[in-house]
Amino acid sequence: MAPSQSALTYDTVLWFWRVVVNIFFREIRPRGAWNIPKEGPIIFVAAPHSNQFLDPVLLASEALREAKRRPAFLIAAKSEKRKVIGAFSRLMGSIPVARAADSAKPGSGRIALSPDDPCLVIGYGTKFTTELAPKKQIMLPKSLGSSVAEVVEVISDTQARVKKEFGGESGKTTSKLRDRVQEVKNSEGKDGVEYRVLPFIDQGEMYGAVYKRLTEGGSIAIFPEGGSHDRTDLLPLKAGVAIMALGAMAVNPGLRVRIVPVGLSYFHAHKFRSRAVVEFGSPLDVPPELVEMFQMGGPNKREASGKLLDLIYDGLKTVTVRAPDYDTLMLIQAGRRLYKPPGQHLTLGQVVELNKRFIEGYLHFQNEPRIQSLKADVLKYNRALRDLGLKDHQVPRASRATWKTLGLLIYRIGLLIVWSTFALPGVVLGGPVFITAKLMSRKKQAEALAASDVKVAARDVVATWKVLISLGLAPVLYMFYAFLATVIAYKAGAPTKWKILTPISTMIALPIIAYSALKFGEAGVDVLKSLRPLVIALFPGQQVQLDKIRKERERLSNELSDVINEYGPKLYEDFDEWRILMPSSSAPPSSGKPGIWSRKSGTGSRGGVDGQGHLLTHPITWLDERIWGWTRSARRGTNVWAGPKSTEASRMQSPNASDEESEGETGDYDDVLGSIPGYVSPSNRLRSRSLANSYADLQQLKRSTEQRKHLHPEDHHLAPIRVPADSTSVSPTSTAHPDGDAQPPSPSSPRRERRNSLEGNVYVGRLARLDPEEPFKECTEDINRETQIRRRQTLPPNGQVPPNLE
């Protein structure tokens, strides 16, 4: 196949799967896409592998959209034998990898270890001479961690020698195996334990295909953990990725292979309409000295592979959220939500970044008494939320019951009825698909859990099977409906024209009805989730509990901020030098155009437009602002009952889009989230459309600056404020566009003048010198003009400006 034909096939297949994943996921966001080299050989190393066959689709689609790279994936030979997955993987040029564990067979008899030699395996009723051979492996049962050891010599049918102890040189598995053998003998009266035999597999053909791809300047992608899982931390990395990089450079001395770590973060990965973030880390160069060691062979080759694997693991740590267990992850997410100021909306990328920093800080100081006390209080707060049936983001909005509360409840119940009515036809027609996909995915989940040694609940396979089953069943169901419609048309004696058009129109209408049901149903679920706090507020006696838990949340939030301010400088040397500007609306993707391949982002000026550019995803926010006037847009005159502008924030606000991980889709750049170490932006030459500036309310910045001077008088002249790397520059008077270009406000949106906003990289010292009496608009224009002049003149970052600009 010609390269142009191959690229066309790759793009076509990926376009199809992109459509599928955009239906399954509510939002997909890239981070750090500017790190992808535009040319040269690349190895994408992705982790954690927590969503089986959907992980490669997300990685490939973002790599193609952001950098026009088409990685070839290394796929398990067992998976390639599946009809659907195998067909698509071959069209995308994937490279099959045979895994010994996929061909494991039960061994005859039972085994134990010699009491004198941990590398000598003793068999009971075994047939080592016919079942074992040098380079084959013996695998222990799941209860012993499925440890393996390579066979180096077969002595007899009942004796064989392995290269190293089971579980490595630590000897932990050796002692466990002996204890298990003794336990089985005492309880069951049997000698030894069961085992499996793994065949030796020559990977020469696979490595040859990889070397060829890299030599041609192409890219490959690999999940070095070896298989999908649903653990909260990374599995040990396989050495194959290191051998690929070192081997390709050893075979071709002039080749420069670069390794790009990729982190995949999901919010409820197994659930329909969940969210995902694909983060690309800084590319890693393979050290030349490791290539030289690799060429020496023997122990030097293994040492070089191990050192490069350590570098790759360190790179993955920068782009992944790693928690030692599920409880810790839940605690960290609860802390992150408490730390977020009320009304502040974070992008998915910022949520991931905060999670990573919270985990790092917690693991470092988890034994401190103050941290332990705060942990106990947070867990107690979470239990109180569960008892009340509330989510954390609903607590600040649970206000005292008034006529507005009752009115809002009635209005939203009516809205729920409307959306449910619109969604009902699609739900009924698609019911067989939904039910079958759920039942079959649970069955596959149980099978995967029983067959795996590393899965916790096997949720990593659920989303994949939901997608595959829906893709296979939906067309069959639609054809059945088309057949029924045609039969009805014939029975009713319809004209020939309608008899011919009936099956065609039915096949066209059904997907439209299904998609409409998806959007209306999603909107209805959002409304449904917002009803509970309103109902609770109306019950007599519940107000005391609501007030109590709201005060507890405020206390915990303040306590958490104090803890971060105390321990942050101990963990990060530059903690007090940087502040992060947190944009309060979702940042657009780093590139792309509206439609299937990217998602729009509203800045509030369009109103009612969600992260996908659609009205129906968050209808109650749009309607509440214009009818009830209880959100912050009310005081800007955008609702029909607004009247005079209010100087206070609304007491009752619209609910977020989803429960646990909803961070809002719209808002204004009003808040500064400080006192955490910032992500330092790359140099100007690396800036792309996905790396730009955020905006902040000038008065908020001034207050933050004054507070900081009060706390740290000696630090008021410190370095400029930096912005997160995943924010995007948007003109203060325009609508955000995925291409990074400005668009005029929509004609259908209300005309209103947005307050001017600051550009990025503003020095804290400059803000401290502002005259509090100077009008806001003039302050902003002066600061922005100075920033532009400083950029052109490339002034040193010392916080000073020319005297004529003072």
Side-chain angles (χ1 to χ4, degrees), residues 82 386 447 501 648 660:
R82 301 179 186 272
R386 287 195 297 270
E447 293 175 357
L501 291 178
E648 296 182 1
E660 195 162 333

Side-chain angles (χ1 to χ4, degrees), residues 653-670:
Q653 299 178 356
S654 299
N656 280 349
S658 61
D659 51 359
E660 195 162 333
E661 291 300 338
S662 175
E663 301 301 331
E665 295 292 342
T666 59
D668 294 309
Y669 291 91
D670 287 337

